[in-house]
Amino acid sequence: MLVIRPITSRDLGALLRIAEESGVGFTSLPVNEERLAAKIAYSEASFALGDDDCQSGEQGYLLVMEDTETGEVVGTTALEARVGQSDAFWHYHLGSAVHSSPTLGVHKEHQLLTLCNDYSGVSELCTLFLSESHRQGHNGRLLSKCRFLFLAEFRDRFAEVVIAEMRGVSDTEGQSPFWSWLQKHFFDMEFPQADYLSGLGKKTFIAELMPRHPVYVDMLPKAAQAVIGQVHDKTRPALKLLTAEGFRWRGYVDIFDAGPTVECDIDHIQAIRESERLQVAIGNTDDGIKTMIANTNLQHFRCTLANALHRKGDLVLDRATADALGVKAGDWVRAIAFEKE
Ligand SMILES: NC(=[NH2+])NCCC[C@H](N)C(=O)O
């Protein structure tokens, strides 16, 4: 069975392996043991905080997917309570400017990229990665969607708006057409290095070196223009999943690779609206439907996918599933039918 649980310091080796596997352009998982250990510590501290001590918003919840048969960690998924609280959080916003002179009969509409911190303080879905060996069945969807049960259950720890930064276009060598332009004019470093530095949290160089004035899109090389708001091929399924949940692109893109950032009001996320709190009953689930189920215990959070029978007010689980979730008959869980097949 695959179970999602909070990361612990014992998972450092596994996280390092996942970071190596994730490769270039995966900003939030830099191959840097010290940084990953700090991320784990930050997550452990966030899970340990009481509900009343979360005002700062400086919490991050890092979860791993474990194969309970082998004990192997096969993926990771995370949530940040509020971005941009202790540092600046950057985006480019794609807007328009009209240059119009009725007297001369000239009317031009331009697209502009403007550097901004508009998403400061929102919650973020981040760091989703599933090992190649386990990319099958519903695993990827489970790893992504479990975060909605988490958000729903621990709603007060999060902001009104939730975003997800999608990986932009880059090739196998890590060359990004959008970055190439920035690199040529403003930075003297390769995309992997810039991405790595920002992933380490060393972001002052962004404020120091990024173009200070809005950029007219028409003046960018065609290759750079073409990837604004476009996702990396491998990220297409993730974007599709979020779109189905209600996430939309509002013109915000990553400042390095121009990949889109999508957003949704927390209370409008489909899985959050549809999830239910139900009481556990133990029994036979042969006639059940595939259901994503999470317990309601923050520090011992568990989430999995299993057959379950939805009855009025309660949810029938088999013993193994209940054990994996650490729940017994009468306990509360949060659940949502996974697919209405
Ligand atoms: N692909 C990147 N590494 N972009 C730079 C980081 C951007 C991100 N929004 C931040 O401010 O942290």
Side-chain angles (χ1 to χ4, degrees), residues 27 88-91 165 191 194-195 198 203 206 254-257:
T27 319
F89 189 75
W90 300 99
H91 271 93
E165 298 189 306
F191 177 64
D195 192 47
S198 69
K203 296 201 293 184
I206 294 176
D254 180 56
I255 54 171
F256 290 174
D257 65 17

Side-chain angles (χ1 to χ4, degrees), residues 72-301:
E72 190 194 357
V73 166
V74 299
T76 174
T77 187
L79 289 146
E80 189 67 30
R82 287 175 193 272
V83 295
Q85 299 304 285
S86 58
D87 58 0
F89 189 75
W90 300 99
H91 271 93
Y92 257 140
H93 184 250
L94 185 64
S96 47
V98 175
H99 295 199
S100 185
S101 168
T103 353
L104 298 181
V106 181
H107 184 92
K108 303 267 183 211
E109 267 181 48
H110 297 281
Q111 287 196 304
L112 280 182
L113 286 173
T114 308
L115 203 57
C116 71
N117 307 113
D118 289 0
Y119 278 135
S120 305
V122 306
S123 298
E124 188 192 7
L125 304 175
C126 42
T127 324
L128 181 76
F129 188 80
L130 179 62
S131 275
E132 192 81 50
S133 61
H134 282 72
R135 282 188 207 152
Q136 63 217 208
H138 298 297
N139 300 350
R141 297 165 59 80
L142 170 62
L143 198 53
S144 176
K145 291 185 79 165
C146 70
R147 297 179 292 190
F148 300 133
L149 289 184
F150 193 92
L151 284 171
E153 192 55 36
F154 310 111
R155 170 73 183 80
D156 293 348
R157 293 179 172 239
F158 296 94
E160 293 303 312
V161 173
V162 182
I163 61 163
E165 298 189 306
M166 312 308 295
R167 183 173 182 179
V169 177
S170 62
D171 64 21
T172 41
E173 266 81 67
Q175 295 293 323
S176 141
F178 191 78
W179 176 260
S180 299
W181 161 78
L182 274 176
Q183 176 179 18
K184 181 162 166 223
H185 299 284
F186 298 94
F187 292 81
D188 275 334
M189 59 178 99
E190 300 293 328
F191 177 64
Q193 192 194 349
D195 192 47
Y196 178 75
L197 281 176
S198 69
L200 287 185
K202 297 189 173 148
K203 296 201 293 184
T204 30
F205 79 102
I206 294 176
E208 287 161 352
L209 296 179
M210 277 299 281
R212 257 170 238 148
H213 305 287
V215 173
Y216 283 82
V217 171
D218 290 333
M219 294 176 170
L220 295 175
K222 287 275 177 281
Q225 290 186 30
V227 298
I228 296 173
Q230 299 298 315
V231 286
H232 193 281
D233 273 339
K234 288 193 180 158
T235 302
R236 234 170 273 285
L239 179 59
K240 207 171 143 211
L241 186 151
L242 293 177
T243 310
E245 290 294 335
F247 282 76
R248 294 289 174 267
W249 184 47
R250 305 246 180 260
Y252 290 92
V253 298
D254 180 56
I255 54 171
F256 290 174
D257 65 17
T261 287
V262 290
E263 66 162 78
C264 192
D265 283 358
I266 189 165
D267 297 320
H268 292 169
I269 298 173
Q270 181 123 341
I272 293 187
R273 290 183 10 190
E274 288 179 1
S275 75
E276 281 182 286
R277 250 179 160 245
L278 298 162
Q279 258 176 315
V280 173
I282 310 287
N284 185 307
T285 58
D286 289 348
D287 296 330
I289 54 169
K290 208 163 258 356
T291 305
M292 178 165 69
I293 315 140
N295 70 17
T296 57
N297 183 335
L298 178 76
Q299 278 164 33
H300 301 281
F301 182 78

Side-chain angles (χ1 to χ4, degrees), residues 2-8 10-33 36-37 39-40 62-67 71-78 126-135 143 167 234:
L2 293 175
V3 176
I4 291 150
R5 59 161 175 84
I7 198 164
T8 75
R10 288 186 300 279
D11 299 312
L12 179 59
L15 192 63
L16 196 57
R17 187 175 42 72
I18 284 176
E20 275 159 9
E21 194 186 331
S22 70
V24 166
F26 206 93
T27 319
S28 53
L29 281 179
V31 184
N32 178 308
E33 192 165 337
L36 294 178
K39 273 185 181 273
I40 295 177
L62 186 52
L63 303 154
V64 289
M65 180 184 254
E66 180 182 321
D67 186 334
E72 190 194 357
V73 166
V74 299
T76 174
T77 187
C126 42
T127 324
L128 181 76
F129 188 80
L130 179 62
S131 275
E132 192 81 50
S133 61
H134 282 72
R135 282 188 207 152
L143 198 53
R167 183 173 182 179
K234 288 193 180 158

